[in-house]
Amino acid sequence: MIILVIILFSTLLGFWQERTAGNAVARLLELIHITCTVIRDKEKKEIPIEEVVPGDIINLSAGDVIPADSLIISEDELFIDEASFTGETFPVEKQAGVLPEQTPLGKRTNSLFMGSHVVSGTGTALVMATGMNTEFGHISQSITRKAPLTDFERGVKRFGYLLMEITLVMVILIFGINVMLHKPILDSLLFTLAIAVGLTPSYFL
């Protein structure tokens, strides 16, 4: 009962902390509204970057965040900070033009990528991809993929399962011996439960 109470309390505490943190983040996001200027139906509109869709034409100037992967239509001394993609600390000059499809990310001078921002200059660009379809989205997906287990981790896991099997056999034997010796069933059960908890590797708890 004590173990169950501790597990229940720990679960409720973790849920409350996660919920509180989530609510705090949600309130902060409500205070932050990043917008961009797009041309729709030949009219300029200021909209949240979440509402940008492929086919929109965006106007860019110094300080703007790139809301989506885009192709440059026109530019005037347009320099972009792409350090988060290429590691390049200096702004990259962007120009309108046509490049081969297999051009490396760092050399796509005619493209803008979501998450980068304008350092100087102005330009217009055609939105090609948004959300998880962008280069930034592909990077985030690769980061969230579960890394394969190393040989050491697999060895630890196998050893843990071995200890679990040994513990299970010992618990059954000890409980059976206690019953054969006419010990009280409840005492025998609590005793074997205590042994199981003590011997179970923390890796599985």
Side-chain angles (χ1 to χ4, degrees):
M1 290 301 295
I2 293 175
I3 294 173
L4 290 176
V5 169
I6 292 174
I7 292 175
L8 180 62
F9 176 76
S10 177
T11 302
L12 292 176
L13 181 61
F15 172 76
W16 180 78
Q17 289 178 329
E18 290 288 338
R19 187 165 179 264
T20 302
N23 290 338
V25 171
R27 287 194 295 270
L28 287 174
L29 290 176
E30 289 176 357
L31 299 175
I32 302 173
H33 295 286
I34 302 177
T35 62
C36 65
T37 303
V38 301
I39 300 176
R40 287 181 179 175
D41 301 324
K42 299 181 180 180
E43 294 183 1
K44 285 188 178 181
K45 300 180 180 180
E46 195 81 14
I47 63 172
I49 61 172
E50 295 84 4
E51 297 181 9
V52 174
V53 296
D56 281 339
I57 295 177
I58 54 176
N59 277 357
L60 300 169
S61 57
D64 286 347
V65 174
I66 308 300
D69 285 5
S70 313
L71 286 177
I72 298 174
I73 299 174
S74 63
E75 46 74 29
D76 182 18
E77 299 294 328
L78 184 62
F79 285 83
I80 306 294
D81 182 354
E82 294 184 344
S84 56
F85 295 94
T86 63
E88 177 60 56
T89 56
F90 296 101
V92 179
E93 185 176 8
K94 296 290 185 174
Q95 298 175 338
V98 179
L99 295 175
E101 185 178 352
Q102 302 302 323
T103 302
L105 186 70
K107 295 183 179 179
R108 297 182 193 174
T109 54
N110 66 339
S111 302
L112 304 174
F113 304 106
M114 185 180 80
S116 56
H117 67 272
V118 181
V119 176
S120 62
T122 59
T124 59
L126 175 65
V127 174
M128 303 300 295
T130 59
M132 299 306 292
N133 295 322
T134 62
E135 293 295 334
F136 190 84
H138 296 159
I139 293 173
S140 65
Q141 284 180 328
S142 65
I143 292 175
T144 55
R145 291 194 191 103
K146 188 176 181 180
L149 294 176
T150 63
D151 290 338
F152 176 75
E153 290 173 328
R154 283 194 291 267
V156 170
K157 194 172 184 178
R158 285 196 297 268
F159 182 68
Y161 281 123
L162 176 62
L163 290 181
M164 286 283 290
E165 293 170 359
I166 294 174
T167 300
L168 180 61
V169 172
M170 288 181 60
V171 166
I172 294 173
L173 287 176
I174 293 173
F175 182 74
I177 292 172
N178 275 275
V179 172
M180 290 176 61
L181 295 176
H182 305 291
K183 300 289 185 180
I185 299 296
L186 181 59
D187 290 345
S188 300
L189 183 61
L190 292 176
F191 179 65
T192 53
L193 179 62
I195 291 177
V197 172
L199 293 178
T200 301
S202 60
Y203 179 85
F204 294 94
L205 294 178

